[in-house]
Amino acid sequence: MVQQLEPVDVVTIGAGWTGGIVAKELAQEEYQVVSLERGGERETENFFTVHDELGYALRYKLMQDLSKETITFRNTVDEPALPMRRYGAFLPGSGEGGAGVHWNGQTWRFLPYDFEIRSRTIDEYGEEKIPENMQLQDWGISYEELEPYFDQFEYTAGIAGEAGNVEGEIQEAGNPYEGPRSREYPLPPMVETPVLERFKETADDLGFEPFQAPSANLTESYTNPDGVQQGQCEYCGYCERFGCEWGAKASPITTVLPAAQETGNFELRTHADVVELLYDEEEDVVEGVRYVDRRTDEVYEQPADVVALTAYVLNNVRLLLLSGIGEPYDPETGEGVVGKNYCYQNFGASARGFFDDENWNLYMGAGALGASFDDLNGDNFDHSDLDFLHGGNVALNQTGDRPIANNPVPEGTPSWGSEFKAQSLEYYHSSISVSAQGAVLPFRENYLDLDPNYTDQYGQPLLRMTFDWREQDRNLVEHIGPQLEELMAEMGADRVDATTTLEGSFDITPYQSTHNTGGAIMGADPNESVVNNYLQCWDAHNLFIPGASAFAHNSGYNPTGTVGALAFRAAEGIQEYLDSPDMLADAES
Amino acid sequence: MRVGGGLAVFGIAAPAEGTFDPEDFDVASMQEIEEVEVEEQGLEYFTIQQARVVHDLTARIYPSDDNGPGAPEAGVVYFIDGQLNSAWGRGERWYMQGPFAGKDPTSPFEDDPDEPEDVDPETEVPWAEQNPSETQGWQYALTPNEAYDQAIWAIEEHTQSAYDADSFADLEADQQEEIVAALENGAVESFDRVDIDASGFFLLVRQNTLEGMFSDPMYGGNREMIGWRLKGFPGTPGALGSYRSLIEDDEYIELEEGDYRRLADDIDSLGIDGDNEVPANEQSEEGHAHVHDAAEADYPNVVDEAAARGETEIEATSIDLDDADDGGDQ
């Protein structure tokens, strides 16, 4: 029997960064907010035994339980999709704080170019520059419009970095290519270690403009504008896939959720697994959500004036499809919107250096401890004679070389036996790598829909991912890869193993990045997008869908900074909607 | 990320200086390696015979040699045995619903009452004839412990047919190496009769061997931190461990005995000092003051309740709790 609950003002589906930001913002405005989180509760005190590479990094303690729900995957539309049975390429989180607990903390603003990528490409190079199957779209919002929300996120989280552009003034130490920011970062940048220094000096010699990468690993103890205090990063080298026992990596559980709790207007319900949004198609509203309490298997319906769909990218898209909201995307016709423009991240270009006469303390580190340059990102370089668009941020990150996962050996070394052992011991302290975080642009046949065969624990269809690399991705790697090879050689490596081509199809087996994006994209035209620039759903006026699912393409950066900004934007939209329930943006087509 | 397949061959490098001195280890010295044997006591999943096979497999993958002890001394077989008797070994968090490509009958969903209503007939596939693409990851109808059971059976079968021996564990080291190479190349015929292929099993046992060498000793491998000592990895920092005062140093820290599991931690201040040598981080002046500060700081928490309720507009401020520890910038 389904139990009906009392209505609330706002319900969020998930309590990660996006759900937490929406919950905090609205609870502080005296609205009653409930967050439904499918996983359990988490707090900093849970992580006093977190320095366990096997348990957290390789047995995925903080990740979604795939036996209950996973995705299916194929490279092309004419293949059968098969389930992702165990973890590989990406790692969706579960539990309070979501993937915002186990992230590395690399916090970027997308470039002004990104938000107007189609218009700017046409202005600069003409429409014929955009390949036929590339569904490049503007986001329906400009960087300038988003700037205050980026600022809000950075000051809420306590981001450490060096500004490169404050109100149009280029700053010597920072990234000269970034969009103008209204003020400095709240905290000074992370420390410069010997290998980061080497990277910066060499990059500078080669004519690039290196800087210290922005970080959510806090460089000082910090009290944010909500009066919530976080600790100082100790560079222990356990960030990605781990929680922080110091409370020194900004996450929903160290920032927005405690602030939301403090209002007295917020309730977090854990083990609450949302299975459907209750959609009234005629009224264009979502009346509430249906969820299962995983501890009791009781089913509840929670009505709400506003529903914020703030699950992970893949779950956002899946719940829309399961609930029949919006027209599902069809790759044959290019029509429909839900599931469209799925993108990922292309780490194809990289160079690993092996140094015979130097050793560094590489087991020390932090998830967002890195040096970086943006000269090969976005449209920061001339693409007139190039056969691809966009690019990627280049970085050397010192995240902490943990011992199971790091056994660097030169190419050609056997993968086992005495020679493998000798080489991997030889280079454990003397091998470093640089890589480009390549943007992935949308193509007609890369998309998300429901799988016709495989189901989750409740018998509902799994989400199906269809994705492969395109010429765009391969050409990008071929352009950037050799430059990384040269950079690493100039850094003094005795041997450089570089990847300068992107071979074969996208493979879901090796870990690459959890930067899945798209599927419920934002835009100005309801025929081309799922949400408007307030992240409000065109087909359900009281439904807001912040998150990387709204990205019209993926840039050459980690997504969380932009995700955070969109969530603050959505929170403002929700507040306006609650004051005056209506569409907040006019449709353009 | 994987690197492409170059063909350059590297010679065996000399052992990294200071990484291994048999005198440092309270375990079988190199002369005694052959005597490291599997004992029945303590096995949780394997039979003694299975364990002998896995013991020797892991010994070939990460051998005891001139570079120091390997999988036998680290107890990797006990690590794997424990893992197979865990939720991971039973595949409890893996998606194990069928159908399985290459295994299950054609059109498995035809008579399935739970079949989703919107099945598009065009997407139905003859599963038994369908080989999964290599890019689709693990598609064996096996949990890890089933994979080990079947692979060990296939390896023994192969040993008996190709060598004049009862068990892989009875072969000479060079014969075992031939078999491991064949596993890696997917060229072991007896695997045709099981549900995992030889190269898939090789990847699994190789990964588990590295895990058993270098994971926390609480999992049964990496005994006496052998793997960490081999690598010069100082051990996982304990709760509240810190490298903040060390990370900017240009100097590479040559680890000494007293440093393992202590480099990042101020044992004194935590009140659990042992009788070892002074760890490297206590040898410098600014090395450890932060631990005292951390004990005083109770974060993260709401320090301004009015602000957290959204009732005040405060400027973002940066509160430096630990003035005593500004020495890291030298």
Side-chain angles (χ1 to χ4, degrees):
Chain A
M1 201 185 85
V2 177
Q3 302 197 38
Q4 293 290 332
L5 299 167
E6 290 298 311
V8 295
D9 297 319
V10 180
V11 65
T12 80
I13 301 170
W17 270 124
T18 51
I21 288 168
V22 166
K24 173 190 88 76
E25 290 287 291
L26 275 297
Q28 286 179 338
E29 296 297 327
E30 305 293 325
Y31 292 104
Q32 294 299 312
V33 184
V34 167
S35 283
L36 301 172
E37 167 55 51
R38 65 182 171 175
E41 288 177 22
R42 287 215 196 100
E43 55 185 350
T44 294
E45 284 78 355
N46 294 159
F47 299 124
F48 284 139
T49 57
V50 81
H51 295 152
D52 168 10
E53 185 184 8
L54 184 77
Y56 284 88
L58 300 163
R59 299 291 180 263
Y60 309 112
K61 233 175 209 178
L62 299 178
M63 313 310 167
Q64 169 181 316
D65 181 347
L66 297 182
S67 74
K68 296 184 164 66
E69 180 187 335
T70 184
I71 61 148
T72 68
F73 163 71
R74 58 184 180 176
N75 287 124
T76 62
V77 290
D78 44 21
E79 276 182 309
L82 296 175
M84 179 173 83
R85 297 189 180 277
R86 55 187 287 200
Y87 277 116
F90 45 84
L91 305 173
S94 189
E96 183 179 353
V101 170
H102 78 253
W103 71 316
N104 257 339
Q106 299 172 18
T107 312
W108 299 90
R109 298 177 172 200
F110 281 9
L111 294 161
Y113 160 77
D114 280 310
F115 302 101
E116 300 167 295
I117 189 167
R118 181 177 181 84
S119 312
R120 291 196 185 200
T121 301
I122 291 170
D123 287 351
E124 191 71 27
Y125 306 108
E127 191 159 3
E128 65 279 6
K129 186 74 177 174
I130 302 171
E132 191 188 349
N133 277 350
M134 184 193 284
Q135 300 179 148
L136 216 51
Q137 286 184 218
D138 291 349
W139 291 39
I141 196 163
S142 67
Y143 170 82
E144 288 69 26
E145 288 171 284
L146 267 179
E147 201 286 331
Y149 310 102
F150 277 118
D151 183 80
Q152 254 182 307
F153 181 66
E154 288 169 356
Y155 274 75
T156 299
I159 303 305
E162 269 171 317
N165 182 340
V166 179
E167 293 182 327
E169 295 285 325
I170 300 299
Q171 313 289 305
E172 179 69 26
N175 176 11
Y177 297 104
E178 71 175 355
R181 53 178 63 242
S182 50
R183 50 178 170 164
E184 301 278 344
Y185 284 101
L187 292 179
M190 301 207 90
V191 299
E192 194 172 77
T193 66
V195 293
L196 300 192
E197 200 177 335
R198 179 82 58 90
F199 173 90
K200 286 181 176 176
E201 284 172 6
T202 312
D204 191 59
D205 289 346
L206 292 172
F208 299 116
E209 308 215 40
F211 57 93
Q212 198 78 3
S215 167
N217 314 136
L218 281 77
T219 50
E220 289 173 12
S221 179
Y222 173 72
T223 300
N224 79 6
D226 295 317
V228 183
Q229 186 188 33
Q230 298 178 86
Q232 179 176 19
C233 175
E234 301 294 342
Y235 299 95
C236 73
Y238 287 76
C239 287
E240 184 172 36
R241 309 188 185 195
F242 304 87
C244 179
E245 83 278 17
W246 288 97
K249 173 173 69 177
S251 88
I253 64 170
T254 63
T255 57
V256 289
L257 292 171
Q261 296 283 10
E262 192 64 26
T263 64
N265 304 321
F266 173 65
E267 183 192 349
L268 174 66
R269 285 184 210 148
T270 53
H271 306 285
D273 202 1
V274 174
V275 292
E276 190 183 345
L277 282 64
L278 305 168
Y279 182 41
D280 182 337
E281 197 170 347
E282 283 180 16
E283 298 293 323
D284 276 350
V285 293
V286 172
E287 289 168 345
V289 301
R290 182 177 296 129
Y291 70 93
V292 179
D293 184 330
R294 278 186 166 173
R295 295 164 301 191
T296 60
D297 282 347
E298 295 276 356
V299 180
Y300 295 89
E301 282 183 6
Q302 175 64 64
D305 288 345
V306 164
V307 174
L309 180 46
T310 54
Y312 188 66
V313 179
L314 302 173
N315 302 325
N316 282 356
V317 177
R318 179 166 180 257
L319 280 169
L320 288 173
L321 291 167
L322 288 175
S323 308
I325 301 171
E327 191 187 342
Y329 173 70
D330 180 346
E332 282 189 23
T333 62
E335 313 249 304
V337 286
V338 182
K340 178 185 166 183
N341 282 23
Y342 170 74
C343 292
Y344 191 50
Q345 201 90 64
N346 171 8
F347 276 96
S350 68
R352 176 166 283 280
F354 298 86
F355 294 73
D356 290 337
D357 305 314
E358 293 182 85
N359 281 308
W360 298 285
N361 304 311
L362 298 173
Y363 48 84
M364 303 177 186
L369 174 60
S372 185
F373 59 80
D374 251 352
D375 303 74
L376 302 178
N377 202 0
D379 200 32
N380 301 339
F381 55 108
D382 184 14
H383 289 69
S384 301
D385 297 325
L386 298 174
D387 46 9
F388 65 95
L389 292 168
H390 218 301
N393 172 267
V394 173
L396 186 152
N397 294 311
Q398 186 174 341
T399 56
D401 283 353
R402 296 177 294 271
I404 302 173
N406 289 281
N407 297 283
V409 294
E411 277 176 32
T413 306
S415 74
W416 57 280
S418 281
E419 195 181 343
F420 169 76
K421 180 181 170 188
Q423 296 284 346
S424 59
L425 294 178
E426 168 74 13
Y427 288 117
Y428 178 57
H429 300 282
S430 58
S431 174
I432 51 179
S433 74
V434 294
S435 60
Q437 180 155 212
V440 170
L441 303 181
F443 282 85
R444 187 157 169 165
E445 294 190 331
N446 288 342
Y447 72 109
L448 305 169
D449 67 351
L450 291 178
D451 190 273
N453 294 324
Y454 291 95
T455 57
D456 70 1
Q457 59 180 332
Y458 308 114
Q460 299 202 99
L462 296 181
L463 190 73
R464 175 169 67 180
M465 174 187 294
T466 305
F467 179 75
D468 207 351
W469 306 122
R470 308 288 157 184
E471 282 309 300
Q472 149 77 25
D473 303 300
R474 301 187 202 282
N475 297 340
L476 185 153
V477 169
E478 284 172 23
H479 180 74
I480 297 179
Q483 300 187 65
L484 303 186
E485 187 170 22
E486 184 193 356
L487 173 68
M488 185 52 77
E490 289 293 317
M491 284 174 70
D494 293 287
R495 180 191 165 112
V496 180
D497 286 344
T499 6
T500 56
T501 57
L502 183 60
E503 307 283 357
S505 286
F506 167 70
D507 184 346
I508 203 168
T509 318
Y511 182 77
Q512 287 151 75
S513 101
T514 306
H515 309 166
N516 315 83
T517 68
I521 66 173
M522 59 194 296
D525 178 355
N527 295 314
E528 299 288 347
S529 58
V530 174
V531 294
N532 65 26
N533 69 18
Y534 281 97
L535 292 308
Q536 180 184 27
C537 184
W538 294 115
D539 288 306
H541 301 169
N542 68 335
L543 174 63
F544 291 74
I545 317 171
S549 52
F551 291 9
H553 69 275
N554 198 12
S555 184
Y557 296 119
N558 309 65
T560 305
T562 301
V563 167
L566 294 182
F568 276 104
R569 169 78 178 174
E572 190 179 298
I574 291 169
Q575 204 182 322
E576 283 185 29
Y577 179 86
L578 285 166
D579 285 346
S580 169
D582 206 349
M583 281 312 282
L584 300 171
D586 292 329
E588 297 168 18
S589 55
Chain B
M1 215 173 334
R2 295 177 306 183
V3 285
L7 291 171
V9 176
F10 249 48
I12 295 176
E17 197 178 337
T19 51
F20 178 62
D21 177 352
E23 299 295 314
D24 290 345
F25 290 84
D26 273 344
V27 291
S29 71
M30 299 310 294
Q31 289 71 32
E32 294 170 310
I33 279 168
E34 293 305 317
E35 293 168 32
V36 174
E37 287 183 0
V38 182
E39 294 173 25
E40 193 159 8
Q41 180 185 6
L43 289 172
E44 296 177 25
Y45 180 78
F46 289 135
T47 65
I48 185 76
Q49 189 56 30
Q50 286 180 312
R52 287 194 180 107
V53 172
V54 173
H55 174 274
D56 283 14
L57 273 172
T58 62
R60 299 287 75 80
I61 291 169
Y62 210 88
S64 316
D65 59 16
D66 294 345
N67 271 313
E73 293 80 10
V76 167
V77 65
Y78 297 102
F79 165 82
I80 295 177
D81 177 63
Q83 287 294 299
L84 294 182
N85 189 36
S86 72
W88 178 81
R90 293 185 290 272
E92 287 177 10
R93 283 163 56 86
W94 289 11
Y95 185 85
M96 293 303 289
Q97 292 184 39
F100 288 88
K103 179 179 172 67
D104 288 333
T106 54
S107 305
F109 295 100
E110 255 170 27
D111 304 316
D112 186 346
D114 293 333
E115 180 181 336
E117 285 171 14
D118 58 346
V119 171
D120 173 357
E122 287 179 23
T123 64
E124 288 199 5
V125 288
W127 295 93
E129 293 156 30
Q130 177 66 40
N131 284 319
S133 151
E134 280 183 18
T135 63
Q136 289 175 302
W138 183 279
Q139 295 298 335
Y140 310 112
L142 299 173
T143 60
N145 53 27
E146 291 165 343
Y148 269 88
D149 287 345
Q150 294 198 9
I152 292 167
W153 177 87
I155 288 167
E156 294 290 64
E157 188 74 9
H158 174 71
T159 301
Q160 287 155 17
S161 67
Y163 299 83
D164 185 20
D166 287 336
S167 169
F168 178 82
D170 297 334
L171 297 176
E172 298 298 322
D174 58 340
Q175 294 173 314
Q176 292 180 340
E177 284 175 3
E178 286 171 12
I179 293 178
V180 175
L183 289 172
E184 184 181 22
N185 296 326
V188 181
E189 252 178 48
S190 54
F191 275 80
D192 292 349
R193 288 185 271 159
V194 296
D195 289 333
I196 184 167
D197 56 45
S199 57
F201 176 69
F202 170 79
L203 291 175
L204 181 65
V205 70
R206 177 187 181 274
Q207 173 64 22
N208 290 157
T209 302
L210 293 175
E211 290 169 354
M213 283 302 301
F214 302 116
S215 58
D216 192 297
M218 71 182 175
Y219 290 107
N222 190 16
R223 290 186 169 177
E224 305 201 27
M225 301 186 283
I226 280 176
W228 292 349
R229 292 171 197 224
L230 267 177
K231 270 194 159 165
F233 176 71
T236 52
L240 303 179
S242 172
Y243 292 131
R244 174 147 56 89
S245 60
L246 300 171
I247 190 166
E248 285 177 285
D249 289 353
D250 284 328
E251 201 176 330
Y252 171 66
I253 298 172
E254 295 281 356
L255 297 171
E256 294 169 11
E257 264 307 279
D259 291 334
Y260 289 93
R261 277 221 134 134
R262 302 190 67 197
L263 186 63
D265 299 337
D266 181 346
I267 305 291
D268 286 329
S269 76
L270 295 172
I272 50 171
D273 190 20
D275 53 6
N276 282 336
E277 297 156 43
V278 179
N281 68 338
E282 291 179 29
Q283 290 161 10
S284 62
E285 290 206 342
E286 73 271 22
H288 60 285
H290 54 269
V291 176
H292 301 290
D293 300 324
E296 286 160 22
D298 181 20
Y299 42 68
N301 59 6
V302 176
V303 295
D304 184 333
E305 293 171 11
R309 288 192 297 270
E311 292 168 1
T312 58
E313 288 287 326
I314 64 162
E315 275 304 297
T317 51
S318 165
I319 297 171
D320 192 358
L321 276 186
D322 40 5
D323 298 332
D325 192 32
D326 268 353
D329 289 331
Q330 292 170 6

